[in-house]
Amino acid sequence: MGLRPLGATGLRVSAIGFGASPLGNEFGHVSQDESTRAVHQAIDSGINFFDVSPYYGRTLAESRLGIALQGKRDKVILATKCGRYDTDRFDFSAERVRSSIDESLQRLRTDYVDLFQAHDIEFGNERQIEEETVPALREIQRSGQARFIGITSYQLGLLVRILQARPVDTVLSYCRFNLLVRDMDNLLTPVAKEKGIGLINASPLHMGLLSESEIPAWHPAPRSVRDAAARVRRICRDRGLNPGQVGISYCLQHPYVATTLVGMASVEQVRTNLGALDVPLDPSLIDEIEAAIGPGRNVVWASGLPENADYAS
Ligand code: NAD
């Protein structure tokens, strides 16, 4: 699989990255054995970028990934996060950033991560993120516990404002560039590109809606989006195509995104998703999908503090 530059970091990441949130049972139960096999299959197939967070499975995903990476740490570029610890538990203070990296390194069984990110900053105070959280991340970078630092959010405008005020090495957004939603390119991509910041696009399957997996109870998408996703899946199936592969293939065409992060937790899912690299997108398929999406297009749901939202609700 092709490697792409992650902004100006000098790191080269696989076009498909391994999203480890499913290892925390976020999308249904998986075992340690299954998790380990999936991670090993991914490494053996050329995936070198792994993304996790203490939030996923409330530390379970980090612990499982740490076990799976034993003896293989030098083969991967490892990213984790800080600041989000539960659905409603956030702490972006400098003190918590410092304790968080120590805890994550212990669970990940390593003495450094390649990327340390402030997680879902739309739940934090913008001024604190700018004046306290990002400087604390830089301090961790100087200590050698992280090679590079980044920020992640669903809200694109907030990411842009922080990047303008205090540039970091990478930026991650999710569910804002895939078959169903495209506004990442209007808001975030030009700024990331201009500043040479590595752009990570997560959730190409719209957190599972474009796959055949069961939709978890916490999924925030409204009815119109779920119905649009079901129409897209049907169109792909009718053409003998796997909808998830089509969804990933669409994201892989992006000219600036360094890695497309897909959540996966089994050998079969890793194999299927890597198959997306060989799925060419017929323009007539994309046209049919565009026409079928209808009112499910570019729907953005609420996430975080109201003052951090991209669009007034
Ligand atoms: P996704 O769009 O990648 O979808 C994941 C879902 O699709 C899971 O239910 C998974 O089991 C299912 N799936 C994947 N491959 C499949 C296959 N071949 N067959 C059937 N089902 C399949 O959504 P995601 O997991 O939310 O996003 C990917 C990763 O991006 C996350 O794991 C995480 O690492 C990262 N992420 C980060 C943030 C953030 O930092 N704020 C937010 C979202 C995602």
Side-chain angles (χ1 to χ4, degrees), residues 19-22 27 51 56 81 119-120 152 172 174 202-208 211-213 261-263 269 272-273:
S21 67
F27 293 88
D51 176 79
Y56 304 147
K81 312 194 185 88
H119 192 178
D120 287 345
T152 86
L172 180 159
Y174 69 100
S203 310
L205 308 177
H206 223 48
M207 297 196 295
S211 79
E212 305 288 10
S213 285
L261 274 180
V262 194
Q269 287 187 353
T272 304
N273 296 340

PDB file of all heavy atoms in Angstrom, residues 19-22 27 51 56 81 119-120 152 172 174 202-208 211-213 261-263 269 272-273, ligand 1:
ATOM      1  N   GLY A  19      -8.096   2.364  12.727  1.00  0.00           N
ATOM      2  CA  GLY A  19      -8.803   3.034  13.821  1.00  0.00           C
ATOM      3  C   GLY A  19      -9.100   1.991  14.888  1.00  0.00           C
ATOM      4  O   GLY A  19      -9.765   0.989  14.628  1.00  0.00           O
ATOM      5  N   ALA A  20      -8.595   2.222  16.094  1.00  0.00           N
ATOM      6  CA  ALA A  20      -8.677   1.176  17.124  1.00  0.00           C
ATOM      7  C   ALA A  20      -9.866   1.342  18.071  1.00  0.00           C
ATOM      8  O   ALA A  20      -9.971   0.599  19.044  1.00  0.00           O
ATOM      9  CB  ALA A  20      -7.366   1.122  17.909  1.00  0.00           C
ATOM     10  N   SER A  21     -10.789   2.257  17.775  1.00  0.00           N
ATOM     11  CA  SER A  21     -11.921   2.384  18.715  1.00  0.00           C
ATOM     12  C   SER A  21     -12.733   1.085  18.831  1.00  0.00           C
ATOM     13  O   SER A  21     -13.174   0.754  19.935  1.00  0.00           O
ATOM     14  CB  SER A  21     -12.805   3.592  18.380  1.00  0.00           C
ATOM     15  OG  SER A  21     -13.462   3.424  17.161  1.00  0.00           O
ATOM     16  N   PRO A  22     -12.904   0.315  17.743  1.00  0.00           N
ATOM     17  CA  PRO A  22     -13.650  -0.939  17.921  1.00  0.00           C
ATOM     18  C   PRO A  22     -12.971  -1.932  18.890  1.00  0.00           C
ATOM     19  O   PRO A  22     -13.641  -2.805  19.450  1.00  0.00           O
ATOM     20  CB  PRO A  22     -13.727  -1.527  16.508  1.00  0.00           C
ATOM     21  CG  PRO A  22     -13.575  -0.354  15.598  1.00  0.00           C
ATOM     22  CD  PRO A  22     -12.617   0.572  16.311  1.00  0.00           C
ATOM     23  N   PHE A  27     -18.238  -0.817  19.099  1.00  0.00           N
ATOM     24  CA  PHE A  27     -19.221  -1.174  18.069  1.00  0.00           C
ATOM     25  C   PHE A  27     -19.735  -2.608  18.262  1.00  0.00           C
ATOM     26  O   PHE A  27     -20.246  -3.211  17.343  1.00  0.00           O
ATOM     27  CB  PHE A  27     -18.592  -1.049  16.673  1.00  0.00           C
ATOM     28  CG  PHE A  27     -18.248   0.369  16.268  1.00  0.00           C
ATOM     29  CD1 PHE A  27     -17.021   0.922  16.590  1.00  0.00           C
ATOM     30  CD2 PHE A  27     -19.159   1.140  15.563  1.00  0.00           C
ATOM     31  CE1 PHE A  27     -16.705   2.222  16.206  1.00  0.00           C
ATOM     32  CE2 PHE A  27     -18.849   2.442  15.174  1.00  0.00           C
ATOM     33  CZ  PHE A  27     -17.623   2.978  15.497  1.00  0.00           C
ATOM     34  N   ASP A  51      -4.429   4.460  15.375  1.00  0.00           N
ATOM     35  CA  ASP A  51      -4.971   5.565  16.177  1.00  0.00           C
ATOM     36  C   ASP A  51      -5.867   5.019  17.287  1.00  0.00           C
ATOM     37  O   ASP A  51      -6.741   4.187  17.041  1.00  0.00           O
ATOM     38  CB  ASP A  51      -5.806   6.482  15.275  1.00  0.00           C
ATOM     39  CG  ASP A  51      -6.486   7.583  16.056  1.00  0.00           C
ATOM     40  OD1 ASP A  51      -5.810   8.585  16.396  1.00  0.00           O
ATOM     41  OD2 ASP A  51      -7.694   7.455  16.350  1.00  0.00           O
ATOM     42  N   TYR A  56     -11.731   5.285  24.153  1.00  0.00           N
ATOM     43  CA  TYR A  56     -12.317   4.111  23.496  1.00  0.00           C
ATOM     44  C   TYR A  56     -12.358   2.920  24.450  1.00  0.00           C
ATOM     45  O   TYR A  56     -11.325   2.358  24.814  1.00  0.00           O
ATOM     46  CB  TYR A  56     -11.535   3.757  22.227  1.00  0.00           C
ATOM     47  CG  TYR A  56     -11.441   4.905  21.230  1.00  0.00           C
ATOM     48  CD1 TYR A  56     -10.322   5.068  20.427  1.00  0.00           C
ATOM     49  CD2 TYR A  56     -12.468   5.836  21.104  1.00  0.00           C
ATOM     50  CE1 TYR A  56     -10.233   6.119  19.518  1.00  0.00           C
ATOM     51  CE2 TYR A  56     -12.387   6.888  20.210  1.00  0.00           C
ATOM     52  CZ  TYR A  56     -11.274   7.031  19.428  1.00  0.00           C
ATOM     53  OH  TYR A  56     -11.184   8.067  18.538  1.00  0.00           O
ATOM     54  N   LYS A  81      -4.458   9.901  22.351  1.00  0.00           N
ATOM     55  CA  LYS A  81      -5.084  11.206  22.604  1.00  0.00           C
ATOM     56  C   LYS A  81      -5.197  11.466  24.105  1.00  0.00           C
ATOM     57  O   LYS A  81      -4.924  10.586  24.932  1.00  0.00           O
ATOM     58  CB  LYS A  81      -6.485  11.221  21.978  1.00  0.00           C
ATOM     59  CG  LYS A  81      -6.526  10.722  20.541  1.00  0.00           C
ATOM     60  CD  LYS A  81      -7.812  11.060  19.832  1.00  0.00           C
ATOM     61  CE  LYS A  81      -7.854  10.430  18.451  1.00  0.00           C
ATOM     62  NZ  LYS A  81      -8.386   9.075  18.427  1.00  0.00           N
ATOM     63  N   HIS A 119      -8.234  15.369  22.258  1.00  0.00           N
ATOM     64  CA  HIS A 119      -9.354  14.607  21.697  1.00  0.00           C
ATOM     65  C   HIS A 119     -10.691  15.340  21.828  1.00  0.00           C
ATOM     66  O   HIS A 119     -11.112  15.668  22.928  1.00  0.00           O
ATOM     67  CB  HIS A 119      -9.428  13.261  22.446  1.00  0.00           C
ATOM     68  CG  HIS A 119     -10.331  12.255  21.812  1.00  0.00           C
ATOM     69  ND1 HIS A 119     -10.482  10.983  22.317  1.00  0.00           N
ATOM     70  CD2 HIS A 119     -11.132  12.308  20.711  1.00  0.00           C
ATOM     71  CE1 HIS A 119     -11.326  10.311  21.562  1.00  0.00           C
ATOM     72  NE2 HIS A 119     -11.746  11.100  20.580  1.00  0.00           N
ATOM     73  N   ASP A 120     -11.345  15.563  20.701  1.00  0.00           N
ATOM     74  CA  ASP A 120     -12.694  16.179  20.687  1.00  0.00           C
ATOM     75  C   ASP A 120     -12.701  17.523  21.408  1.00  0.00           C
ATOM     76  O   ASP A 120     -13.456  17.738  22.379  1.00  0.00           O
ATOM     77  CB  ASP A 120     -13.731  15.218  21.289  1.00  0.00           C
ATOM     78  CG  ASP A 120     -14.040  14.051  20.355  1.00  0.00           C
ATOM     79  OD1 ASP A 120     -13.688  14.116  19.171  1.00  0.00           O
ATOM     80  OD2 ASP A 120     -14.641  13.060  20.818  1.00  0.00           O
ATOM     81  N   THR A 152      -8.024  17.046  17.508  1.00  0.00           N
ATOM     82  CA  THR A 152      -9.104  16.361  16.807  1.00  0.00           C
ATOM     83  C   THR A 152     -10.444  16.958  17.208  1.00  0.00           C
ATOM     84  O   THR A 152     -10.615  17.418  18.341  1.00  0.00           O
ATOM     85  CB  THR A 152      -9.142  14.835  17.100  1.00  0.00           C
ATOM     86  OG1 THR A 152      -9.898  14.596  18.310  1.00  0.00           O
ATOM     87  CG2 THR A 152      -7.765  14.229  17.259  1.00  0.00           C
ATOM     88  N   LEU A 172      -7.158  16.128  12.916  1.00  0.00           N
ATOM     89  CA  LEU A 172      -8.029  14.997  12.571  1.00  0.00           C
ATOM     90  C   LEU A 172      -9.473  15.453  12.663  1.00  0.00           C
ATOM     91  O   LEU A 172      -9.882  16.033  13.674  1.00  0.00           O
ATOM     92  CB  LEU A 172      -7.768  13.839  13.552  1.00  0.00           C
ATOM     93  CG  LEU A 172      -8.556  12.534  13.416  1.00  0.00           C
ATOM     94  CD1 LEU A 172      -7.797  11.382  14.102  1.00  0.00           C
ATOM     95  CD2 LEU A 172      -9.977  12.576  13.933  1.00  0.00           C
ATOM     96  N   TYR A 174     -13.610  13.939  11.655  1.00  0.00           N
ATOM     97  CA  TYR A 174     -14.299  12.686  11.333  1.00  0.00           C
ATOM     98  C   TYR A 174     -15.726  12.980  10.862  1.00  0.00           C
ATOM     99  O   TYR A 174     -16.333  13.983  11.248  1.00  0.00           O
ATOM    100  CB  TYR A 174     -14.297  11.730  12.532  1.00  0.00           C
ATOM    101  CG  TYR A 174     -15.157  12.160  13.697  1.00  0.00           C
ATOM    102  CD1 TYR A 174     -16.424  11.613  13.895  1.00  0.00           C
ATOM    103  CD2 TYR A 174     -14.693  13.103  14.607  1.00  0.00           C
ATOM    104  CE1 TYR A 174     -17.198  12.003  14.972  1.00  0.00           C
ATOM    105  CE2 TYR A 174     -15.469  13.501  15.680  1.00  0.00           C
ATOM    106  CZ  TYR A 174     -16.729  12.947  15.855  1.00  0.00           C
ATOM    107  OH  TYR A 174     -17.507  13.345  16.914  1.00  0.00           O
ATOM    108  N   ALA A 202     -11.053  10.700   9.420  1.00  0.00           N
ATOM    109  CA  ALA A 202     -11.560   9.503  10.106  1.00  0.00           C
ATOM    110  C   ALA A 202     -13.026   9.235   9.753  1.00  0.00           C
ATOM    111  O   ALA A 202     -13.742  10.134   9.326  1.00  0.00           O
ATOM    112  CB  ALA A 202     -11.405   9.677  11.617  1.00  0.00           C
ATOM    113  N   SER A 203     -13.407   7.991   9.966  1.00  0.00           N
ATOM    114  CA  SER A 203     -14.789   7.522   9.798  1.00  0.00           C
ATOM    115  C   SER A 203     -15.285   7.586   8.350  1.00  0.00           C
ATOM    116  O   SER A 203     -16.324   8.189   8.057  1.00  0.00           O
ATOM    117  CB  SER A 203     -15.751   8.302  10.713  1.00  0.00           C
ATOM    118  OG  SER A 203     -15.275   8.331  12.034  1.00  0.00           O
ATOM    119  N   PRO A 204     -14.557   6.937   7.425  1.00  0.00           N
ATOM    120  CA  PRO A 204     -15.002   6.914   6.025  1.00  0.00           C
ATOM    121  C   PRO A 204     -16.333   6.195   5.851  1.00  0.00           C
ATOM    122  O   PRO A 204     -17.013   6.393   4.843  1.00  0.00           O
ATOM    123  CB  PRO A 204     -13.874   6.150   5.310  1.00  0.00           C
ATOM    124  CG  PRO A 204     -13.268   5.299   6.379  1.00  0.00           C
ATOM    125  CD  PRO A 204     -13.350   6.118   7.634  1.00  0.00           C
ATOM    126  N   LEU A 205     -16.684   5.350   6.837  1.00  0.00           N
ATOM    127  CA  LEU A 205     -17.958   4.620   6.752  1.00  0.00           C
ATOM    128  C   LEU A 205     -19.049   5.330   7.550  1.00  0.00           C
ATOM    129  O   LEU A 205     -20.091   4.758   7.830  1.00  0.00           O
ATOM    130  CB  LEU A 205     -17.769   3.172   7.246  1.00  0.00           C
ATOM    131  CG  LEU A 205     -16.601   2.427   6.577  1.00  0.00           C
ATOM    132  CD1 LEU A 205     -16.428   1.026   7.152  1.00  0.00           C
ATOM    133  CD2 LEU A 205     -16.816   2.356   5.064  1.00  0.00           C
ATOM    134  N   HIS A 206     -18.776   6.587   7.890  1.00  0.00           N
ATOM    135  CA  HIS A 206     -19.707   7.389   8.695  1.00  0.00           C
ATOM    136  C   HIS A 206     -20.040   6.664   9.998  1.00  0.00           C
ATOM    137  O   HIS A 206     -21.191   6.511  10.370  1.00  0.00           O
ATOM    138  CB  HIS A 206     -20.974   7.704   7.887  1.00  0.00           C
ATOM    139  CG  HIS A 206     -21.422   9.132   8.057  1.00  0.00           C
ATOM    140  ND1 HIS A 206     -20.578  10.205   7.947  1.00  0.00           N
ATOM    141  CD2 HIS A 206     -22.636   9.666   8.355  1.00  0.00           C
ATOM    142  CE1 HIS A 206     -21.250  11.328   8.157  1.00  0.00           C
ATOM    143  NE2 HIS A 206     -22.493  11.031   8.422  1.00  0.00           N
ATOM    144  N   MET A 207     -18.975   6.238  10.659  1.00  0.00           N
ATOM    145  CA  MET A 207     -19.053   5.455  11.894  1.00  0.00           C
ATOM    146  C   MET A 207     -19.965   4.232  11.699  1.00  0.00           C
ATOM    147  O   MET A 207     -20.863   3.968  12.483  1.00  0.00           O
ATOM    148  CB  MET A 207     -19.508   6.326  13.064  1.00  0.00           C
ATOM    149  CG  MET A 207     -18.517   7.449  13.357  1.00  0.00           C
ATOM    150  SD  MET A 207     -18.689   8.259  14.949  1.00  0.00           S
ATOM    151  CE  MET A 207     -20.278   9.048  14.827  1.00  0.00           C
ATOM    152  N   GLY A 208     -19.687   3.506  10.624  1.00  0.00           N
ATOM    153  CA  GLY A 208     -20.339   2.219  10.405  1.00  0.00           C
ATOM    154  C   GLY A 208     -21.572   2.255   9.524  1.00  0.00           C
ATOM    155  O   GLY A 208     -22.002   1.217   9.018  1.00  0.00           O
ATOM    156  N   SER A 211     -21.247   0.524   6.298  1.00  0.00           N
ATOM    157  CA  SER A 211     -20.854  -0.887   6.340  1.00  0.00           C
ATOM    158  C   SER A 211     -22.106  -1.712   6.606  1.00  0.00           C
ATOM    159  O   SER A 211     -23.185  -1.176   6.832  1.00  0.00           O
ATOM    160  CB  SER A 211     -19.838  -1.121   7.460  1.00  0.00           C
ATOM    161  OG  SER A 211     -20.504  -1.200   8.713  1.00  0.00           O
ATOM    162  N   GLU A 212     -21.908  -3.031   6.603  1.00  0.00           N
ATOM    163  CA  GLU A 212     -23.057  -3.909   6.883  1.00  0.00           C
ATOM    164  C   GLU A 212     -23.130  -4.249   8.371  1.00  0.00           C
ATOM    165  O   GLU A 212     -23.898  -5.107   8.784  1.00  0.00           O
ATOM    166  CB  GLU A 212     -22.959  -5.205   6.044  1.00  0.00           C
ATOM    167  CG  GLU A 212     -22.819  -4.989   4.542  1.00  0.00           C
ATOM    168  CD  GLU A 212     -24.098  -4.493   3.863  1.00  0.00           C
ATOM    169  OE1 GLU A 212     -25.057  -4.141   4.582  1.00  0.00           O
ATOM    170  OE2 GLU A 212     -24.124  -4.453   2.619  1.00  0.00           O
ATOM    171  N   SER A 213     -22.315  -3.571   9.186  1.00  0.00           N
ATOM    172  CA  SER A 213     -22.341  -3.874  10.628  1.00  0.00           C
ATOM    173  C   SER A 213     -23.542  -3.232  11.310  1.00  0.00           C
ATOM    174  O   SER A 213     -24.104  -2.258  10.813  1.00  0.00           O
ATOM    175  CB  SER A 213     -21.074  -3.333  11.295  1.00  0.00           C
ATOM    176  OG  SER A 213     -19.987  -4.146  10.989  1.00  0.00           O
ATOM    177  N   LEU A 261      -8.693   6.895   8.285  1.00  0.00           N
ATOM    178  CA  LEU A 261      -8.758   5.989   9.437  1.00  0.00           C
ATOM    179  C   LEU A 261     -10.052   5.201   9.425  1.00  0.00           C
ATOM    180  O   LEU A 261     -11.140   5.783   9.544  1.00  0.00           O
ATOM    181  CB  LEU A 261      -8.738   6.802  10.724  1.00  0.00           C
ATOM    182  CG  LEU A 261      -7.405   7.194  11.321  1.00  0.00           C
ATOM    183  CD1 LEU A 261      -7.654   8.000  12.580  1.00  0.00           C
ATOM    184  CD2 LEU A 261      -6.566   5.959  11.632  1.00  0.00           C
ATOM    185  N   VAL A 262      -9.939   3.881   9.337  1.00  0.00           N
ATOM    186  CA  VAL A 262     -11.116   3.006   9.360  1.00  0.00           C
ATOM    187  C   VAL A 262     -11.103   2.207  10.656  1.00  0.00           C
ATOM    188  O   VAL A 262     -10.063   1.649  11.031  1.00  0.00           O
ATOM    189  CB  VAL A 262     -11.092   2.000   8.179  1.00  0.00           C
ATOM    190  CG1 VAL A 262     -12.459   1.351   8.022  1.00  0.00           C
ATOM    191  CG2 VAL A 262     -10.649   2.650   6.891  1.00  0.00           C
ATOM    192  N   GLY A 263     -12.244   2.139  11.313  1.00  0.00           N
ATOM    193  CA  GLY A 263     -12.341   1.348  12.535  1.00  0.00           C
ATOM    194  C   GLY A 263     -12.532  -0.116  12.187  1.00  0.00           C
ATOM    195  O   GLY A 263     -13.427  -0.465  11.415  1.00  0.00           O
ATOM    196  N   GLN A 269     -12.349  -8.041   8.547  1.00  0.00           N
ATOM    197  CA  GLN A 269     -12.585  -6.615   8.254  1.00  0.00           C
ATOM    198  C   GLN A 269     -11.324  -5.962   7.688  1.00  0.00           C
ATOM    199  O   GLN A 269     -11.397  -5.155   6.765  1.00  0.00           O
ATOM    200  CB  GLN A 269     -13.033  -5.872   9.511  1.00  0.00           C
ATOM    201  CG  GLN A 269     -14.460  -6.195   9.908  1.00  0.00           C
ATOM    202  CD  GLN A 269     -14.961  -5.332  11.059  1.00  0.00           C
ATOM    203  OE1 GLN A 269     -14.217  -4.570  11.650  1.00  0.00           O
ATOM    204  NE2 GLN A 269     -16.228  -5.480  11.387  1.00  0.00           N
ATOM    205  N   THR A 272     -11.056  -7.144   4.055  1.00  0.00           N
ATOM    206  CA  THR A 272     -12.081  -6.514   3.207  1.00  0.00           C
ATOM    207  C   THR A 272     -11.739  -5.051   2.968  1.00  0.00           C
ATOM    208  O   THR A 272     -11.805  -4.555   1.837  1.00  0.00           O
ATOM    209  CB  THR A 272     -13.463  -6.611   3.895  1.00  0.00           C
ATOM    210  OG1 THR A 272     -13.724  -7.975   4.164  1.00  0.00           O
ATOM    211  CG2 THR A 272     -14.561  -6.050   3.028  1.00  0.00           C
ATOM    212  N   ASN A 273     -11.353  -4.352   4.028  1.00  0.00           N
ATOM    213  CA  ASN A 273     -11.117  -2.911   3.878  1.00  0.00           C
ATOM    214  C   ASN A 273      -9.894  -2.619   3.013  1.00  0.00           C
ATOM    215  O   ASN A 273      -9.882  -1.647   2.256  1.00  0.00           O
ATOM    216  CB  ASN A 273     -11.002  -2.245   5.244  1.00  0.00           C
ATOM    217  CG  ASN A 273     -12.322  -2.353   5.998  1.00  0.00           C
ATOM    218  OD1 ASN A 273     -13.356  -2.579   5.388  1.00  0.00           O
ATOM    219  ND2 ASN A 273     -12.286  -2.208   7.305  1.00  0.00           N
TER     220      ASN A 273
HETATM  221  P1  NAD B   1     -15.757   4.040  10.587  1.00  0.00           P
HETATM  222  O1  NAD B   1     -16.489   4.903   9.643  1.00  0.00           O
HETATM  223  O2  NAD B   1     -14.387   3.646  10.265  1.00  0.00           O
HETATM  224  O3  NAD B   1     -16.680   2.772  10.864  1.00  0.00           O
HETATM  225  C1  NAD B   1     -16.349   1.799  11.818  1.00  0.00           C
HETATM  226  C2  NAD B   1     -17.470   0.777  11.870  1.00  0.00           C
HETATM  227  O4  NAD B   1     -17.531   0.080  10.640  1.00  0.00           O
HETATM  228  C3  NAD B   1     -17.319  -0.298  12.939  1.00  0.00           C
HETATM  229  O5  NAD B   1     -18.625  -0.721  13.339  1.00  0.00           O
HETATM  230  C4  NAD B   1     -16.684  -1.423  12.199  1.00  0.00           C
HETATM  231  O6  NAD B   1     -16.922  -2.663  12.810  1.00  0.00           O
HETATM  232  C5  NAD B   1     -17.399  -1.313  10.879  1.00  0.00           C
HETATM  233  N1  NAD B   1     -16.607  -1.905   9.810  1.00  0.00           N
HETATM  234  C6  NAD B   1     -15.364  -1.539   9.410  1.00  0.00           C
HETATM  235  N2  NAD B   1     -14.960  -2.351   8.408  1.00  0.00           N
HETATM  236  C7  NAD B   1     -15.957  -3.217   8.178  1.00  0.00           C
HETATM  237  C8  NAD B   1     -16.128  -4.298   7.264  1.00  0.00           C
HETATM  238  N3  NAD B   1     -15.188  -4.630   6.399  1.00  0.00           N
HETATM  239  N4  NAD B   1     -17.284  -4.995   7.299  1.00  0.00           N
HETATM  240  C9  NAD B   1     -18.267  -4.662   8.157  1.00  0.00           C
HETATM  241  N5  NAD B   1     -18.164  -3.662   9.058  1.00  0.00           N
HETATM  242  C10 NAD B   1     -17.019  -2.949   9.055  1.00  0.00           C
HETATM  243  O7  NAD B   1     -15.819   4.807  12.001  1.00  0.00           O
HETATM  244  P2  NAD B   1     -14.858   4.969  13.250  1.00  0.00           P
HETATM  245  O8  NAD B   1     -14.374   3.651  13.767  1.00  0.00           O
HETATM  246  O9  NAD B   1     -15.567   5.881  14.169  1.00  0.00           O
HETATM  247  O10 NAD B   1     -13.630   5.810  12.690  1.00  0.00           O
HETATM  248  C11 NAD B   1     -12.380   5.241  12.410  1.00  0.00           C
HETATM  249  C12 NAD B   1     -11.334   5.588  13.437  1.00  0.00           C
HETATM  250  O11 NAD B   1     -11.044   6.990  13.380  1.00  0.00           O
HETATM  251  C13 NAD B   1     -11.709   5.337  14.901  1.00  0.00           C
HETATM  252  O12 NAD B   1     -11.550   3.991  15.242  1.00  0.00           O
HETATM  253  C14 NAD B   1     -10.760   6.269  15.609  1.00  0.00           C
HETATM  254  O13 NAD B   1      -9.480   5.690  15.661  1.00  0.00           O
HETATM  255  C15 NAD B   1     -10.734   7.477  14.668  1.00  0.00           C
HETATM  256  N6  NAD B   1     -11.718   8.516  15.066  1.00  0.00           N
HETATM  257  C16 NAD B   1     -11.269   9.547  15.804  1.00  0.00           C
HETATM  258  C17 NAD B   1     -12.154  10.524  16.242  1.00  0.00           C
HETATM  259  C18 NAD B   1     -11.648  11.657  17.062  1.00  0.00           C
HETATM  260  O14 NAD B   1     -10.453  11.723  17.339  1.00  0.00           O
HETATM  261  N7  NAD B   1     -12.473  12.561  17.485  1.00  0.00           N
HETATM  262  C19 NAD B   1     -13.512  10.434  15.905  1.00  0.00           C
HETATM  263  C20 NAD B   1     -13.932   9.376  15.108  1.00  0.00           C
HETATM  264  C21 NAD B   1     -13.020   8.420  14.686  1.00  0.00           C
END
